[in-house]
Amino acid sequence: MAKVLQPENLPEGTRYWPGFFDRAAQEALVETIRALVMESPLFTPRMPRTGTPMSVRMTNCGALGWVTDRERGYRYQPTHPETGKPWPPMPAVLDDLWQAVVPDAPPPQACLINFYNAQARMSLHQDRDEQDFSAPVVSVSLGDECLYRLGGLERNSPTRSFRLKSGDVFVLGGAGRLMFHGVDRIYPGTSDLLKNGGRINLTLRRVTHP
Ligand code: SIN
Ligand code: FE2
């Protein structure tokens, strides 16, 4: 059984707001994301060197977007890898979220939009492609619940897992900024927010030194 992560047993540097977005706000956010995806379509990221496709599909908004492919690996760039167009601007609702949860951090430059179907997963990793780790990573869950795994600062550190639900906001910052994390599985049918099911994760990041 996945434990519910309670405010009193959060590791240092992490913060958790269950239900930060209410249903109406979640619906509005999904509409915003739909419009972004029309302009900046989901693409299939590929692992560096092997070219193995990841199971999530992704796109970005903001000045910079996170991409990966066989030839050039993990990086940030200002344009969509397939259309060559600049990423759509960061919507105000996401700037507002950042301001509300990490008011002291310089403004976010990138929002990675990950779409998980029922089979998608994300293996344990650190977010470390940014030049600057002083700003937190702010993440939003929408749609089906997932089993989120949180480790420590080493790949072999002990891990714990808990369910993230639609509307939840989770932050990795400070001593927790480089904690390993991943998504073990999606629980299909746990939300009716997305018409065809699945989960969206938004990850807001500061990339360069302010
Ligand atoms: C990620 O670490 O890129 C995604 C985390 C999540 O889907 O909650
Ligand atoms: Fe991550």
Side-chain angles (χ1 to χ4, degrees):
M1 256 292 272
K3 272 198 309 223
V4 177
L5 196 70
Q6 302 290 356
E8 58 273 16
N9 59 27
L10 281 171
E12 192 189 340
T14 66
R15 285 193 287 157
Y16 181 38
W17 282 265
F20 181 95
F21 290 103
D22 66 16
R23 176 71 189 210
Q26 292 171 40
E27 287 173 2
L29 197 44
V30 169
E31 280 318 301
T32 301
I33 293 160
R34 268 190 219 294
L36 289 174
V37 170
M38 299 274 275
E39 192 183 331
S40 189
L42 294 169
F43 61 92
T44 297
R46 291 180 178 272
M47 299 299 284
R49 292 179 298 279
T50 62
T52 308
M54 292 174 67
S55 57
V56 295
R57 289 184 303 144
M58 59 178 57
T59 187
N60 290 268
C61 59
L64 293 170
W66 188 88
V67 300
T68 175
D69 55 30
R70 181 202 295 259
E71 296 75 21
R72 295 175 58 203
Y74 304 153
R75 63 193 187 275
Y76 283 92
Q77 64 180 41
T79 54
H80 190 288
E82 290 172 1
T83 67
K85 291 204 280 191
W87 305 108
M90 186 79 73
V93 58
L94 296 181
D95 278 323
D96 293 349
L97 164 67
W98 184 270
Q99 188 58 36
V101 299
V102 293
D104 298 329
Q109 293 169 302
C111 175
L112 175 62
I113 301 167
N114 282 315
F115 177 75
Y116 294 76
N117 64 20
Q119 288 78 39
R121 298 177 298 114
M122 175 94 54
S123 57
L124 207 65
H125 66 277
Q126 290 172 297
D127 286 11
R128 55 176 315 141
D129 300 316
E130 301 71 35
Q131 289 170 15
D132 190 335
F133 301 139
S134 59
V137 173
V138 174
S139 132
V140 182
S141 294
L142 292 167
D144 283 336
E145 293 174 18
C146 77
L147 185 61
Y148 183 86
R149 185 164 296 277
L150 183 64
L153 297 176
E154 307 293 335
R155 179 165 288 283
N156 59 5
S157 305
T159 66
R160 69 187 88 192
S161 60
F162 51 95
R163 281 188 183 223
L164 288 178
K165 299 187 171 63
S166 196
D168 290 359
V169 170
F170 190 69
V171 174
L172 292 174
R177 172 64 179 76
L178 290 173
M179 279 181 159
F180 278 85
H181 58 279
V183 172
D184 289 354
R185 62 162 298 191
I186 301 298
Y187 296 99
T190 47
S191 166
D192 63 2
L193 184 71
L194 306 178
K195 262 200 304 289
N196 300 316
R199 172 175 183 263
I200 293 171
N201 170 256
L202 309 176
T203 309
L204 292 148
R205 305 191 188 91
R206 177 77 200 185
V207 180
T208 64
H209 300 292

